[in-house]
Amino acid sequence: MTWPQASNAQTLGIPFPNYIPSPEPELIIGPPGEQFTFTRTGKNTDNRFTMAEALVPPGSGPLPHFHENYDEWFYFPKGGITLFLDPDHTYSDLSKIPNKTALGADIQLIETKPKSLYYVPRGHIHGFYNSSDNPVEMTFVWAPERISDYFRNTGETVKQFPSDFKVDATRMASFVNDAPLYGINQSQYFMQYIKSIKQATPQTIAADDHITELTDLLSTPLS
């Protein structure tokens, strides 16, 4: 598909907070093609959060979706990803399906910059895509823990990542259909939940990144 073009976000220059990774990370290939290294999961965070470092292949990224009862942080060490989100509408539970049982989302597009951090609270439509020709690094934090099994069960757990990057089309159906089991409404195509698309406003770009809360979560000892 042809992705919409985004406005430039300000360069925040925020270093990612220090944390102690698990000595036994989990390697999982997500159906949209991301190569996730889960460095902390609920198994060793007392279910406070899940964290993954990832490579996002060209042309890949999850379609618009929202989490019912957990929040998410995105960190972009080198930028290069188009992030989209609706900062104004909140969907309180999974019975709220945008453009069906609830209002459609008005998403805003942000072209991320190096060392930028973004926070997306629960109930807000969001997603991202790599419109470049190269894999791009990202870091994810979800809090509290609920999402690990979603990737384990709809993706592929591996001992090491293959050299090629590709979407596994055979897994996309379960990625969408099983999402509600993990507190997610996941769209099947880009515009399914979307009412409008525009460039990110200065208010959205400068929104609170909740780094104090993130730093507190990442200080959780290995359990």
Side-chain angles (χ1 to χ4, degrees), residues 10 12 85 87 117-119 201-210:
Q10 70 184 81
L12 299 177
L85 57 94
L117 176 71
Y118 295 91
Y119 169 76
T201 66
Q203 292 81 7
T204 297
I205 292 172
D208 184 1
D209 53 39
H210 290 251

Side-chain angles (χ1 to χ4, degrees), residues 20-24 39-49 145 217-223:
I20 300 174
S22 168
E24 298 179 343
T39 55
R40 296 290 296 269
T41 67
K43 296 177 180 179
N44 51 52
T45 67
D46 197 26
N47 290 323
R48 292 189 71 200
F49 72 94
E145 154 68 13
L217 285 171
L218 296 180
S219 68
T220 304
L222 283 168
S223 59

Side-chain angles (χ1 to χ4, degrees), residues 1 10 18 24 70 79 93 122 127 137 141 174 199 202 210 213 216:
M1 65 176 294
Q10 70 184 81
N18 292 326
E24 298 179 343
Y70 50 99
D93 59 66
R122 64 195 66 188
E137 298 175 21
V141 177
S174 62
Q199 308 300 306
H210 290 251
E213 181 182 349
D216 175 67

Side-chain angles (χ1 to χ4, degrees), residues 160-180:
Q160 64 181 30
F161 292 122
S163 58
D164 61 327
F165 287 86
K166 59 184 179 182
V167 174
D168 186 349
T170 65
R171 295 185 181 274
M172 290 306 294
S174 62
F175 186 70
V176 173
N177 296 334
D178 293 351

Side-chain angles (χ1 to χ4, degrees), residues 8-125:
N8 290 331
Q10 70 184 81
T11 300
L12 299 177
I14 296 176
F16 193 77
N18 292 326
Y19 76 100
I20 300 174
S22 168
E24 298 179 343
E26 298 181 55
L27 308 184
I28 298 175
I29 302 174
E34 306 97 328
Q35 295 186 351
F36 289 104
T37 299
F38 281 84
T39 55
R40 296 290 296 269
T41 67
K43 296 177 180 179
N44 51 52
T45 67
D46 197 26
N47 290 323
R48 292 189 71 200
F49 72 94
T50 301
M51 177 177 172
E53 297 178 353
L55 276 178
V56 180
S60 182
L63 293 171
H65 63 283
F66 72 85
H67 308 152
E68 179 181 42
N69 55 6
Y70 50 99
D71 309 317
E72 186 168 13
W73 284 264
F74 300 98
Y75 183 73
F76 304 93
K78 300 178 181 177
I81 290 283
T82 301
L83 176 67
F84 55 84
L85 57 94
D86 180 347
D88 299 320
H89 295 98
T90 303
Y91 302 92
S92 58
D93 59 66
L94 297 184
S95 70
K96 305 299 189 293
I97 303 174
N99 280 334
K100 185 175 182 181
T101 61
L103 291 174
D106 297 310
I107 63 169
Q108 299 182 25
L109 306 173
I110 300 171
E111 193 64 45
T112 62
K113 294 297 183 179
K115 296 183 179 179
S116 57
L117 176 71
Y118 295 91
Y119 169 76
V120 179
R122 64 195 66 188
H124 287 263
I125 292 289

